[in-house]
Amino acid sequence: MGLRRDRELGMHRRITRRDLLNGIAIGTGFFGLQGSFPCLAWPDPNDGTAQQDRPGYYPPTLTGLRGSHPGSFEQAHNLRDGNFWKSAGKSIETGETYDLVVIGGGISGISAAYFWRKQKPETRILILDNHDDFGGHAKRNEFHVGGRMLLVNGGTWAIESPVPYSEVARGLMDDLGIQPAELAKKCYARETYKDLKQGVFFNKETFGSDKLVIGTASDMGNLGLADAERFLATMPLPEEVRRDVLRLETIKEDFFPALSSAEKKDRLTRISYKKYLLDVMKVDPRVVPLYQTQTHGLFGVGIDAVNALDCWALGLPGFKGLKLQAGPHPRMGYTPKGFTRPDNNYIYHFPDGNASIARMLVRRLVPDSAPGNTPEDIVTANLDYSRLDRKASPVRIRLSTIVVSAHHVGDPATSKEVSVTYLRDNKLQSVRAKSVVMACWNMMVPYLCPEFPERQKEALHYGVKVPLVYTSVAIRNWQSFHNLGIRQVSTPGMYHHELGLELAQNVGEFRSPESPDEPIVVRMERTPCLPGLSERDQHRAGRGDLLSTTFETFERNIRDQLGRVLSSGGFDPARDILAITVNRWPHGYAYEYNYLFDPEWPAGQSPCEIARKPFGRIAIANSDVAAAAYTDTAINEAYRAVQELVHS
Ligand SMILES: Cc1cc2nc3c(=O)[nH]c(=O)nc-3n(C[C@H](O)[C@H](O)[C@H](O)COP(=O)(O)OP(=O)(O)OC[C@H]3O[C@@H](n4cnc5c(N)ncnc54)[C@H](O)[C@@H]3O)c2cc1C
């Protein structure tokens, strides 16, 4: 894209951007809307005050590159590459000792601290996290525009799970007063977008011309033939491709008439959905791009790397004629297996996603860090970060602190103490702990604990976390969505594969925008991968892509995409974009096993089961050791890890 296109897109516009306005928090009266979007942390008074203790420190309002933000991960990569200790120097003993040190301040780490305190109220806990905010993936993006607070999740979207919440996870929700179904009933503003539909944007690079189509291919199953053909005619696809899309969406043919339902299901777990479309249904290969990214949101890879039975469970088309019996199959993935269960209504999306759960847990652990005590009042509560790491507090949460080592003092078999070393503000420091919960990512553990058994270290390295990006864009108003009659658009083939308006709801004092004239947040999802490789290799390639992409490149693509999809509704990216937060997660979802590529391990022998064995005074939590990327699994594993330590 040239300079002229950059000007049309508004690349010269003064939204706050990390790479343009180093460290300056500004109000953007410039846009005619009063807004405030700081892009870097707060000034250093040069008196040794830790960043999180400085006046006004409040990371949820930071914009620019967030998620795994610059400064949070580089030393981890140095550790991986064997460079860290070459220049690290000697660590300073702080003299601090704790009953429990938790490494990783995501939902799993904070839950571990909560469970421990519940069983041992008189003890002292330190939680360490490398990011400048707690919550791990459960992060909050907060914008202030025209006197209004706009919220959206920067990662973990909702309380939801393919399996019912366990007694432990549900118990934690109950303790916090969270009743998902009731909150959903009470808070969702279902009227706000009631006339807006889903759409598909066909981009010219993939489909030959740019065109927004209102409705989706899956609507065709519910239309009569004439209406379906009329709808198909709106898609910029060649006649023979349209015919095959119609065939795929409406087909009732049984391709394996000689097989039983169980045999068909087994066969479908051994081929990808793409192979099913091309080799079994024999659709025109030009149909594939329309469906390729439909699995991205759940798996971070396309239909070339997801088995056909999993896609049946997700409701993708082409299976009606097979008459498959309801229910799971052992070779299905963890998430699709859950889709075969009857309806589960234990679902609720807080306006900032599960960041509200993290904030509620922190409020319990450090009671004066935020006002209030209900799931409703946490949504607008202003958390005081300077209270999180006070000497007198029984629970301390230390941010921007990367742990680089955790080893037993003496023989791990008999040792009563672990030395934990971390880097913070360029200083290497150590604390002592009677017990340690590793609630960080599995692949970090072997670098921090070289003393672990080799087999366990290998198992900890097995999973490759799913890279993904949730982008939040604050825009001046949502007239363009209203004019086009859409709320969500699938954009296969574009930089982000999906975009849409944040869910409308009113909870506590928080009010979602109601009128199309009001500012709002647009959510966009990007899942970089490399079709054709195994799932784990696709994730490695996607992670490389994310870590080498500058904010400027993200911004240019975001402006271009929103402009092309919405401009026929009056959207002008140069005028209407107020702020951009790119939540970049190179290490996103926990890796869930994919039997197209992974072996079927005997019971007890899968990598996650080997990985989660306790070692001396160190126990392992986090959702990676469940091989299931969900909040309930993060909580379940925290509980197990705490029990292992308490009872050993
Ligand atoms: C974009 C996205 C959307 C998601 N949406 C949902 C959803 O809607 N519903 C759902 O149930 N789940 C969702 N998930 C899954 C989510 O991962 C889990 O729900 C849960 O939040 C995981 O918690 P955790 O504590 O196990 O891991 P994390 O949240 O990843 O926390 C681990 C923390 O440990 C830190 N850490 C790692 N190494 C070190 C070190 N050496 N020193 C200090 N700290 C370290 C990490 O940086 C991180 O902050 C989503 C995940 C992503 C990425």
Side-chain angles (χ1 to χ4, degrees), residues 116-134:
W116 184 281
R117 285 279 295 169
K118 223 174 150 184
Q119 279 174 262
K120 294 175 164 275
E122 300 307 320
T123 50
R124 285 172 51 77
I125 302 176
L126 174 67
I127 302 173
L128 304 166
D129 196 279
N130 56 322
H131 290 104
D132 57 18
D133 200 354
F134 60 82

Side-chain angles (χ1 to χ4, degrees), residues 15-130:
I15 65 164
T16 53
R17 286 208 294 270
R18 179 180 296 273
D19 50 348
L20 287 186
L21 297 170
N22 276 331
I24 309 165
I26 59 164
T28 51
F30 179 74
F31 293 103
L33 277 169
Q34 230 187 356
S36 168
F37 315 114
C39 52
L40 248 194
W42 290 264
D44 183 356
N46 279 323
D47 62 359
T49 310
Q51 190 166 248
Q52 74 189 64
D53 296 335
R54 293 178 199 158
Y57 182 83
Y58 192 68
T61 55
L62 289 174
T63 58
L65 265 185
R66 299 293 296 155
S68 284
H69 57 77
S72 66
F73 60 87
E74 295 80 353
Q75 298 300 345
H77 291 178
N78 277 338
L79 261 183
R80 175 199 61 196
D81 298 338
N83 296 328
F84 180 82
W85 294 109
K86 286 182 195 156
S87 55
K90 214 172 142 17
S91 83
I92 302 159
E93 289 284 346
T94 58
E96 292 175 23
T97 59
Y98 296 90
D99 296 286
L100 177 70
V101 166
V102 179
I103 302 172
I107 294 274
S108 199
I110 315 173
S111 304
Y114 180 80
F115 291 132
W116 184 281
R117 285 279 295 169
K118 223 174 150 184
Q119 279 174 262
K120 294 175 164 275
E122 300 307 320
T123 50
R124 285 172 51 77
I125 302 176
L126 174 67
I127 302 173
L128 304 166
D129 196 279
N130 56 322

Side-chain angles (χ1 to χ4, degrees), residues 27 101 155 166 183 269 291 358 372 414 417 462 482 487 535 558 604 622:
V101 166
S166 66
L183 282 166
T269 66
Y291 295 87
T414 51
E417 213 175 26
Y462 186 84
H482 184 255
R487 64 183 155 77
E535 181 175 340
I558 290 161
N622 104 69

